[in-house]
Every structure is written in C-alpha cells, then in structure tokens.
Amino acid sequence: MIKTQLKKAFHTTSYNVGGSKFRIVLWYITNLFIFKSGIIPNSNILVTILRLFGAKIGIDVRIKPFIDIKYPWKLRVGDHSWLANCYIENLEEVIIGENVCVSQKAMLLTGNHNYKTTSFDLITSPIILEDGVWIGANATVCAGVTVKSHAILTVGSVATKDMERYFIYQGNPAVKTKARVII
C-alpha cells in the first residue's frame, strides 16, 4: 500500500504568495496585533490598513474586529459589504461583491491538498462571492467555489460546489433547499 510522504509535502516552490518576505512578515505582525487581537474596533481604520497592504476595498465596507486574513493583497471587496470575525485563507484571490455579508466564524478557504498523490500537493483556486450573497455563521466556502448573486449559505453549512443565484443552501455538503425570495 502506498503512503503519503508529508516530510516532502509542504514545499510550495511553485506557489506564489504575491509579496516579498518583508511584506509578508510585516502583514503577519499587523494581522496578529491589530486584526486578530481586536484592539482596534474601528472599521474605517481596519479598511485603511488593509488598503495599505494592497486589498482593493469599495466604499462603506465594514470590517469587524478579530477578522483573520491570510494575504490582503489577494482580497477584493465590493461596496457596502460586511466582513465579521471570519477567516479568509486567500492563498488565491478572494473576490467579494457588493452588499455581501460574511458572518461570524465563517471560513473562505482557497487551498487544499491533493490526497491522491503521495506528495500531498497543495491545490489552490479562487473564491468568488457575487453581489448580495450571505455566508452564514460557521459556514465554509471551499476552494474554487463561486457563490452566485444573492445566494445564501446557511449557518454551519459547507459549500463544495458552485451555488446558483437566488437559492438557499444548507448542510454538509451544502445542497439547494429553496429559492430565496426578496420582498
């Protein structure tokens, strides 16, 4: 029986972080002491710091304390969106549209490992949350998923595949449960 070889598995020589070592270290320190700590509760200050690190953020965006973002230079957020204390592991680009809500403890995960290979290679793919999407508390959006306009991923659910527009998804893996009707 063939086994994985984790001692070789975590090379990421072909993976591009998108920043210099200095930029990465400076972000890790900033993320730890300012964002993860919640010491600065003011959304405008947090947005400004993210923009300084290369995030593209629209107007009237709310960033809540205790958020954890891997690489801000791989993050785009549209106008009037709300990011609670969620976890964004954006090894690839995460694109968040306008009027999107990402709730408490939600996770956006752009990376995984190829369990079919002995080397357990890193696999990355972007995530897109189109306009009007709501990602519920403790929900997870996996690598490569596009959540189409105004779809909802309910509390604790896991999106492993694209979600259709104006539908509500629930479960693990998330399945379409009903249409979203906005009155």
Side-chain angles (χ1 to χ4, degrees):
M1 181 174 287
I2 299 174
K3 297 179 181 179
T4 58
Q5 299 176 13
L6 294 181
K7 66 182 178 209
K8 297 179 184 177
F10 296 102
H11 309 271
T12 55
T13 53
S14 64
Y15 173 70
N16 182 5
V17 172
S20 68
K21 288 183 182 182
F22 176 75
R23 184 182 198 188
I24 293 165
V25 169
L26 186 59
W27 170 248
Y28 282 160
I29 292 167
T30 303
N31 194 29
L32 178 64
F33 290 109
I34 295 178
F35 287 83
K36 287 183 186 181
S37 73
I39 196 166
I40 297 178
N42 184 294
S43 183
N44 293 331
I45 294 171
L46 298 177
V47 166
T48 299
I49 294 169
L50 286 170
R51 286 179 178 146
L52 289 172
F53 276 95
K56 293 174 181 63
I57 301 177
I59 59 169
D60 194 35
V61 171
R62 298 290 177 249
I63 304 290
K64 303 305 283 181
F66 304 105
I67 193 169
D68 188 358
I69 300 168
K70 186 79 169 177
Y71 300 126
W73 47 90
K74 292 186 176 192
L75 178 64
R76 289 194 313 191
V77 183
D79 299 343
H80 314 290
S81 290
W82 181 291
L83 304 179
N85 57 324
C86 57
Y87 177 60
I88 302 175
E89 185 183 47
N90 54 338
L91 301 172
E92 291 295 337
E93 192 168 40
V94 169
I95 301 169
I96 298 172
E98 295 183 4
N99 300 296
V100 171
C101 179
V102 180
S103 298
Q104 298 82 356
K105 306 294 183 189
M107 293 191 295
L108 307 179
L109 306 174
T110 62
N112 206 340
H113 292 277
N114 187 348
Y115 63 88
K116 296 177 183 177
T117 65
T118 59
S119 56
F120 209 51
D121 300 321
L122 178 65
I123 302 170
T124 61
S125 190
I127 289 174
I128 300 170
L129 307 180
E130 293 182 356
D131 295 347
V133 163
W134 179 16
I135 305 299
N138 289 307
T140 302
V141 179
C142 295
V145 170
T146 296
V147 181
K148 302 223 169 134
S149 177
H150 295 84
I152 295 174
L153 183 62
T154 63
V155 171
S157 297
V158 179
T160 59
K161 296 181 181 173
D162 290 354
M163 295 170 49
E164 292 179 45
R165 58 194 311 261
Y166 287 93
F167 277 97
I168 299 170
Y169 287 76
Q170 183 175 14
N172 181 6
V175 294
K176 185 171 31 173
T177 57
K178 62 182 173 180
R180 178 181 184 184
V181 179
I182 299 175
I183 52 174

